[in-house]
Amino acid sequence: MLPSTLSPLRHSRGFTLLELLVVMVIIGLLAGYVGPRFFGQIGKSEIKTARAQIDALEKALDQYRLDVGRYPSTEQGLQALQVSPGDARWAGPYLKKAVPPDPWGKPYQYRQPGEHGEFDLFSFGPDGQPGGEGENADITNW
């Protein structure tokens, strides 16, 4: 046999099992490092969404007050922004779409009169419970 006939066989071999294992370990380490940071950002974006929705609802409530002369009562709730509560001065709807739930699928809490202002508008946050700390804290308008 000639050495030139063996050389094409040496160049056409695939990856070894050890090389594949090293690549898999590197991918696993990267996923372990990047994954928690990525999913931590999802929680922050939901909180930012809740704050933006509360801000938009506050503006709609202010417009309601300008037209009607008062904020909707707790009993009327945020639905008064979509459906007339029977007041002749109501010029709504004050929202283009229905009142959205918070980013965790629960309704926003509305109280009028509020304990912290003319009205209180808030979400209980990701845990769905009053209070909480850190990412589980309530998102409020005060």
Side-chain angles (χ1 to χ4, degrees), residues 44-87:
K44 289 179 185 176
S45 68
E46 288 174 332
I47 291 170
K48 287 180 183 178
T49 300
R51 289 180 202 263
Q53 287 178 335
I54 285 174
D55 185 54
L57 290 170
E58 278 186 298
K59 289 176 180 167
L61 286 164
D62 288 339
Q63 186 63 45
Y64 177 98
R65 184 177 141 276
L66 287 173
D67 289 345
V68 177
R70 59 173 174 72
Y71 289 108
S73 67
T74 301
E75 293 77 29
Q76 292 170 329
L78 297 173
Q79 294 307 319
L81 299 173
Q82 264 320 107
V83 179
S84 175
D87 194 305

Side-chain angles (χ1 to χ4, degrees), residues 17 27 38 40 44 54 58 63 65 77 79-80 82 88 94-95 102 108 119 128-129 131 134:
L17 180 60
I27 290 172
F38 173 74
K44 289 179 185 176
I54 285 174
E58 278 186 298
Q63 186 63 45
R65 184 177 141 276
Q79 294 307 319
Q82 264 320 107
Y94 298 94
L95 296 171
D102 69 13
Y108 282 101
F119 64 88
Q129 303 294 321

Side-chain angles (χ1 to χ4, degrees), residues 1-2 10 16 20 34 37 96 99 107 122 139:
M1 286 202 214
L2 297 171
R10 289 183 188 156
T16 66
L20 290 174
V34 173
R37 292 176 186 260
K96 291 182 180 180
V99 177
F122 58 98
I139 295 96

